[in-house]
Amino acid sequence: MQAYIARRLVTTVPIVALVGTVVFLLVHLTPGDPAVIMLGPDAPAEAVVRLRHDLGLDQPLAAQWLHWFRRIITGDLGRSIFFGLPVTAVIRQHLVPTVLLSLLAILFAVGIGLPAGIVSAVRRGSALDQAVTLVAFLGVSVPEFWLALNLVLLFAVRLALLPVAGYVPPTQGLGTTLRYLLLPAFTMGFVQSALIARMTRAAMLEVVAQDYIRTAHAKGLAFRQVTLRHAFPNALIAVVTVVGIVFSVMMGGNVVAETIFTIPGIGQLLMSSVLRRDYPLIQGIVLLVALAYVLINLLVDVVYALVDPRIRY
C-alpha cells in the first residue's frame, strides 16, 4: 500500500502540470486585456503598454508558458496581477472558508443521503421508498440558487434564526462561524445528498439480492444485523466513490453558494479572478483544485482497502 501511495503521488505531478498547461492556454486565448481591466478603459495607451511589459504579457505565449512552467517546478505560483501578492498567500486567505464549508456540507450530504438510501433499499416498493425517491429526484432537479434563496427567506428573514449571509473566521468563535455556514452548507449538502441516496439505494439493492444475504435471513439473524453488518459494508465501496467525487467537487469551490452567501472562498475567488483576467491566480486555483481531486481519489482508494481487505494494490 505504501508503494502504491508513493506511485500515485509521483504521477500527480504530470497530471497537475498538464491541467495547469491546458488552463494556461485557455485563459490566455480568451479575449480581454488584464492591463486594461486594471487601469480602466480610459487609461492612456502608454500606461497600458508599460503595465503589460511589467507583467510580462507582451512576451510571446510560448515564452510566457516557459516562464510559468519554470516557476511551477520550483513551487512558485507567481504573483497575483490584481492583489499584487504571491498567489499562494491569496489562495491561503480564501482556503479556510472553502474547507470548513465543504466539510460541513459533506456531513449534511452523507448524513441525509446514506440513511435515506439504505431505508429506501430495504423498504423497496413501499410508500417510504417512493417518498425518498421523490425527494432525491427533487434534490437533483432543484437549482441550487433557488434552494439557497428560499432557505434564506425562511430561516434568516422570516424566522430570524440564522444570518442572511457573510462569514466570520473561526478565530472569532467557532460557534459563530458554524451559524454563518449552516445555510450554505445545507444547500450544498442537500443537493449532493440526493446523488448519494440514489447510489446507496442502487448498491444496497444489488447486495441484498445476493445468496449470502438470504442465507443470513434464513439463519434467523435480526433484520437490522443483516442490513448493517452484512449488506451495508459490501455496498459501501460504490458509495465511497460517490462521496469522494462529491467532496472533490465541493473542495473545488462552490461558486453559487459562496456568491449568494458572500463567503470569501475559493469559488468566489476564482470567479472574480476570471473577470479580472488575473492569469497567475486562475492557474494557481486550478492547480490546487486538480491536486485536491488527485489526493481525494487517493484517499478513496485507501478507504477501499480498509472497507474490503480483499483489495490489494
Side-chain angles (χ1 to χ4, degrees), residues 114-296:
L114 212 57
I118 295 174
V119 171
S120 179
V122 298
R123 302 297 183 194
R124 183 182 185 184
S126 65
L128 185 60
D129 177 29
Q130 295 176 4
V132 171
T133 302
L134 177 62
V135 173
F137 178 75
L138 292 175
V140 297
S141 305
V142 170
E144 196 171 314
F145 74 90
W146 183 88
L147 178 62
L149 293 176
N150 280 278
L151 289 175
V152 169
L153 183 64
L154 177 61
F155 291 101
V157 178
R158 292 190 176 178
L159 300 179
L161 295 176
L162 296 170
V164 174
Y167 171 75
V168 174
T171 53
Q172 299 182 21
L174 185 59
T176 306
T177 303
L178 293 178
R179 287 189 73 244
Y180 276 85
L181 293 180
L182 273 179
L183 287 183
F186 182 81
T187 302
M188 296 167 57
F190 179 77
V191 173
Q192 299 298 338
S193 69
L195 179 62
I196 295 176
R198 296 297 298 166
M199 180 57 70
T200 304
R201 181 180 184 275
M204 284 291 294
L205 286 178
E206 183 177 350
V207 172
V208 297
Q210 300 294 321
D211 290 339
Y212 71 92
I213 296 296
R214 284 193 288 268
T215 303
H217 284 297
K219 290 169 61 179
L221 295 178
F223 183 78
R224 175 178 296 182
Q225 186 178 6
V226 174
T227 302
L228 298 181
R229 295 189 57 182
H230 295 274
F232 178 65
N234 289 290
L236 197 56
I237 293 179
V239 178
V240 167
T241 303
V242 177
V243 172
I245 295 173
V246 167
F247 190 57
S248 301
V249 173
M250 291 177 176
M251 282 299 296
N254 192 298
V255 176
V256 176
E258 292 184 359
T259 301
I260 291 177
F261 292 98
T262 62
I263 297 174
I266 294 297
Q268 196 178 68
L269 179 64
L270 177 61
M271 178 62 71
S272 61
S273 302
V274 170
L275 296 176
R276 297 165 181 155
R277 301 293 189 273
D278 196 337
Y279 299 149
L281 194 49
I282 297 172
Q283 292 153 11
I285 294 173
V286 173
L287 287 176
L288 172 70
V289 173
L291 185 62
Y293 266 89
V294 173
L295 293 180
I296 291 175

Side-chain angles (χ1 to χ4, degrees), residues 12-34:
T12 299
V13 178
I15 294 174
V16 172
L18 180 61
V19 172
T21 301
V22 172
V23 174
F24 174 89
L25 296 174
L26 290 177
V27 169
H28 280 72
L29 292 176
T30 55
D33 191 332

Side-chain angles (χ1 to χ4, degrees), residues 24-92:
F24 174 89
L25 296 174
L26 290 177
V27 169
H28 280 72
L29 292 176
T30 55
D33 191 332
V36 175
I37 295 174
M38 292 178 66
L39 297 176
D42 300 327
E46 296 79 10
V48 174
V49 172
R50 186 165 54 251
L51 182 57
R52 295 190 84 251
H53 176 73
D54 293 341
L55 298 175
L57 299 176
D58 56 348
Q59 298 293 320
L61 190 60
Q64 293 185 48
W65 180 82
L66 281 174
H67 182 62
W68 169 82
F69 195 76
R70 287 171 185 157
R71 287 204 321 264
I72 292 298
I73 293 176
T74 61
D76 180 13
L77 298 180
R79 298 181 71 84
S80 165
I81 295 175
F82 181 80
F83 293 99
L85 297 172
V87 169
T88 51
V90 178
I91 291 178
R92 195 182 307 121

